[in-house]
Amino acid sequence: MARFIFITGGVVSSLGKGLASAALGALLQARGYSVRLRKLDPYLNVDPGTMSPFEHGEVFVTNDGAETDLDLGHYERFTGVSARMTDSVSSGRIYSNVLEKERRGNYLGKTIQVIPHVTDEIKDFIKIGEDEVDFMLCEIGGTVGDIEGLPFFEAIRQFSQDKKRGECIFMHLTLLPFVKASGELKTKPTQHSVKELRSIGISPDILVCRSEGSIPQKEREKLALFCNVRPESVISAKDLNSIYEAPISYHNEGLDQAVLDAFTITPAPKPDLSKWEDVKDRLNNPEGHVNVAIVGKYTQLEDAYKSIAEALTHGGMANRLQVKINWVDAETFEKEDPEIYLSGFHAILVPGGFGERGTEGKIMAAKFAREHKIPYLGICLGMQTAVIESARNMAGISNAGSEEFDHEAGKRRFEPIIYHLKEWVQGNHTVSRKVEDDKGGTMRLGAYSAVLAKGSCVAKIYNSTSIEERHRHRYEVDVKYRKELEKSGLIFSGMSPDGRLPEIVELSDHPWFIGVQFHPELKSKPFDPHPLFRDFIKAAKDISRLF
Ligand code: GLN
């Protein structure tokens, strides 16, 4: 039976609760324990799938096809444990489950209330798979005091009472602001935040305090005294150069020891942090650097491409290189010469995206990379725009485009090289969709396998002809153009097992030009970089030598 660690936040948002949870998960693994991490989000969307990337950052997709919060990406990158549909929930999902049960008559005529019906639904969610791991880490999104968060805080309070003493602990993350005028780290906001938490019946066992520098002994003692925690359970979380230094840094500050102490686990098993030492060494001692351009639409908010940025860093670590990421807005050079914006980069990556805006720029980026023989990685929409570019400029289909763009304009301007997929095979059943379907959860989502052509670049990179990768898209390259495109030099080197859905394309006459319909970035880890990103950065390195 799992022990539960509930992670809450106070004072301000964006303190890195997700990272702290992920790093703690990694530290418990380093001590030999199995872990699972979960995110409970108070917003009312049923899932983040329909939220704008500008609003909420990237949507992280799990193997089993859930569209989840980007914190699940951190959890996977730090622990290597594949997240599941049941590792992410929102108020929207909880309420929708409760209301569905009410309509079905499951509550036998009772009046439905936040306590106990909503809180019971939350508790049932927390319990899923509790006998599978040693530790279950549950992060509550938002900040203590938020109205929407209250049912979650109440649910975890009840949950800890339902369990035997010592099976649940609470960890609270706060900020210690530094006031320049007095030269002091201030503890008052943390005291207030803990007061708020205690007013709803939760007493934190561990305080993790974000600050620019370390916490002086005097402030640590003050926090312990006023917040009713042990001094050794006040953990300093100072700003780091890289998120991947977090496990070692938290270990040095005593976080994992404090957690094991709170559970009275003695003697604590010794940690093996060699994996993280190696990660830190690769990050801090690169032997050079490469400049990569990400040509996208959501470039103002880097979180929109979180996993891609991380996967590029991992690819750099595999090659002992620092990857300098340059964000280029695809719209800026649609009416200009892309040369001004794209020359000088050692590689170009076009990420996924939705809607027509910016796509002509992305098509120009693919053309630029093809003609200048710059390594190119197109992901999802970035693959689709690369195929459109080849169709227009190599195969002579001058009005090639995607149904997605026509669909938005309400008229037909393009030959639909990329079409709206309405039926496909998943495992051993067929999935059907209609244009009028709801937007939420109706894309081709989650892990699908692909068969790679023997002797292709991708088969060499993966060192296999059979792969499984995660998808999130509605549109697909129309296989009926395959022959025509292959004749002009665009090879379909990865296909769905039934041969109907193009999964990977590559250019025959190019040092490194690959487009993938899936999202390889979601599976990359700092200690296990994804082969496509590892090889992409290697190609960038080879090019950089020619500059
Ligand atoms: N908008 C495209 C589609 O739905 C690509 C999606 C993506 O890049 N994730 O097919």
Side-chain angles (χ1 to χ4, degrees):
M1 200 60 87
R3 292 179 168 95
F4 290 82
I5 304 169
F6 294 105
I7 300 118
T8 57
V11 182
V12 290
S13 59
S14 307
L15 283 180
K17 248 186 305 154
L19 277 171
S21 311
L24 175 58
L27 288 176
L28 291 168
Q29 283 180 322
R31 294 203 186 237
Y33 295 110
S34 60
V35 298
R36 179 160 289 283
L37 286 103
R38 273 198 178 142
K39 178 88 194 266
L40 295 89
D41 271 310
Y43 53 72
L44 282 171
N45 302 62
V46 172
D47 63 40
T50 52
M51 283 164 144
S52 157
F54 288 121
E55 184 92 15
H56 193 256
E58 155 190 286
V59 172
F60 190 82
V61 182
T62 58
N63 276 335
D64 56 5
E67 297 177 280
T68 71
D69 187 82
L70 55 73
D71 274 329
L72 271 80
H74 291 312
Y75 302 165
E76 280 204 21
R77 283 188 283 274
F78 277 79
T79 64
V81 176
S82 292
R84 301 178 189 152
M85 200 170 273
T86 46
D87 292 331
S88 167
V89 83
S90 65
S91 289
R93 165 72 62 207
I94 293 287
Y95 278 94
S96 130
N97 290 353
V98 168
L99 295 177
E100 218 173 274
K101 285 186 187 167
E102 186 273 338
R103 292 290 84 184
R104 278 203 307 259
N106 290 15
Y107 296 116
L108 306 174
K110 287 260 183 290
T111 306
I112 311 308
Q113 294 180 302
V114 172
I115 304 170
H117 302 99
V118 170
T119 46
D120 278 354
E121 191 68 29
I122 298 172
K123 289 195 283 180
D124 287 347
F125 170 81
I126 294 171
K127 263 185 247 164
I128 298 170
E130 63 178 335
D131 44 5
E132 288 175 19
V133 287
D134 299 319
F135 287 95
M136 191 81 87
L137 286 75
C138 299
E139 179 192 343
I140 313 295
T143 313
V144 61
D146 297 345
I147 288 178
E148 311 92 80
L150 278 173
F152 288 100
F153 284 92
E154 169 61 15
I156 59 174
R157 183 198 66 75
Q158 290 176 18
F159 191 93
S160 72
Q161 290 296 323
D162 297 346
K163 289 283 173 189
K164 286 204 206 89
R165 230 177 248 284
E167 285 185 2
C168 298
I169 65 163
F170 295 94
M171 170 169 135
H172 191 56
L173 207 82
T174 70
L175 175 73
L176 301 183
F178 180 72
V179 175
K180 259 205 197 120
S182 60
E184 281 176 316
L185 274 182
K186 297 312 243 181
T187 63
K188 190 66 86 185
T190 299
Q191 295 178 40
H192 278 289
S193 169
V194 171
K195 197 171 160 202
E196 180 79 32
L197 204 55
R198 288 168 74 189
S199 74
I200 49 180
I202 295 173
S203 239
D205 299 280
I206 292 167
L207 270 187
V208 175
C209 302
R210 288 296 309 271
S211 58
E212 275 174 47
S214 327
I215 311 176
Q217 191 56 24
K218 189 176 117 239
E219 274 74 18
R220 194 184 291 268
E221 280 165 15
K222 192 168 171 187
L223 282 163
L225 182 66
F226 285 90
C227 300
N228 195 33
V229 294
R230 290 160 192 277
E232 60 278 17
S233 296
V234 178
I235 307 296
S236 158
K238 45 182 188 280
D239 296 346
L240 300 170
N241 292 331
S242 157
I243 55 171
Y244 299 120
E245 292 181 6
I248 291 181
S249 170
Y250 275 126
H251 173 72
N252 293 342
E253 294 294 338
L255 175 64
D256 43 335
Q257 188 60 56
V259 166
L260 297 175
D261 286 347
F263 282 114
T264 60
I265 296 175
T266 46
K270 290 254 167 310
D272 172 7
L273 292 169
S274 49
K275 188 162 88 176
W276 293 104
E277 302 283 1
D278 180 51
V279 163
K280 194 170 165 182
D281 178 55
R282 283 172 185 275
L283 271 170
N284 292 340
N285 303 301
E287 287 160 7
H289 77 271
V290 287
N291 282 315
V292 179
I294 297 186
V295 181
K297 181 163 85 171
Y298 316 111
T299 46
Q300 298 98 308
L301 181 69
E302 293 180 13
D303 266 2
Y305 301 116
K306 189 77 201 152
S307 293
I308 289 186
E310 294 309 321
L312 284 171
T313 303
H314 307 161
M317 286 157 67
N319 289 281
R320 286 207 170 264
L321 290 173
Q322 185 198 0
V323 178
K324 294 192 176 163
I325 296 176
N326 303 269
W327 304 94
V328 184
D329 185 340
E331 273 184 290
T332 51
F333 53 80
E334 279 185 336
K335 291 187 184 68
E336 287 180 63
D337 184 358
E339 177 97 39
I340 311 164
Y341 296 93
L342 294 180
S343 60
F345 293 120
H346 306 127
I348 294 173
L349 187 151
V350 177
F354 293 84
E356 186 182 8
R357 197 159 62 74
T359 50
E360 287 303 321
K362 292 179 180 181
I363 293 167
M364 285 164 83
K367 183 164 186 271
F368 182 87
R370 176 172 64 79
E371 291 178 342
H372 292 78
K373 305 244 185 272
I374 308 289
Y376 176 92
L377 176 58
I379 293 178
C380 210
L381 186 62
M383 173 218 196
Q384 297 173 358
T385 46
V387 174
I388 294 172
E389 194 281 313
S390 297
R392 286 185 190 174
N393 303 316
M394 286 161 58
I397 310 172
S398 58
N399 64 337
S402 166
E403 259 190 334
E404 180 173 16
F405 316 154
D406 265 341
H407 176 69
E408 284 205 336
K411 55 180 194 251
R412 195 172 176 93
R413 293 170 295 152
F414 297 114
E415 176 154 349
I417 303 291
I418 318 292
Y419 71 108
H420 186 171
L421 182 71
K422 304 209 185 57
E423 200 172 279
W424 66 90
V425 178
Q426 178 168 36
N428 47 15
H429 72 283
T430 303
V431 185
S432 308
R433 296 277 185 258
K434 289 196 287 301
V435 180
E436 332 57 271
D437 277 350
D438 286 349
K439 284 277 177 286
T442 52
M443 284 187 258
R444 182 151 91 98
L445 286 168
Y448 284 84
S449 29
V451 181
L452 311 187
K454 279 201 194 91
S456 60
C457 282
V458 280
K460 273 184 227 130
I461 292 170
Y462 276 95
N463 194 23
S464 169
T465 53
S466 155
I467 59 163
E468 200 180 73
E469 293 282 5
R470 296 182 199 169
H471 289 245
R472 180 172 185 253
H473 55 104
R474 223 177 282 287
Y475 297 85
E476 201 89 32
V477 176
D478 195 334
V479 72
K480 79 174 184 224
Y481 294 96
R482 177 174 185 173
K483 271 213 184 95
E484 211 173 333
L485 288 167
E486 289 205 317
K487 234 190 281 156
S488 64
L490 186 75
I491 309 302
F492 285 47
S493 50
M495 298 294 293
S496 60
D498 63 5
R500 287 173 54 198
L501 308 176
E503 292 275 1
I504 307 176
V505 293
E506 55 189 56
L507 278 179
S508 48
D509 181 25
H510 195 283
W512 211 102
F513 191 106
I514 293 174
V516 294
Q517 186 56 78
F518 46 81
H519 291 274
E521 72 275 17
L522 302 179
K523 284 172 78 166
S524 190
K525 319 275 186 307
F527 42 82
D528 184 16
H530 191 286
L532 278 173
F533 283 88
R534 187 195 61 218
D535 213 66
F536 180 55
I537 298 302
K538 182 175 169 296
K541 172 171 134 189
D542 295 344
I543 290 278
S544 73
R545 293 220 177 94
L546 307 174
F547 272 39

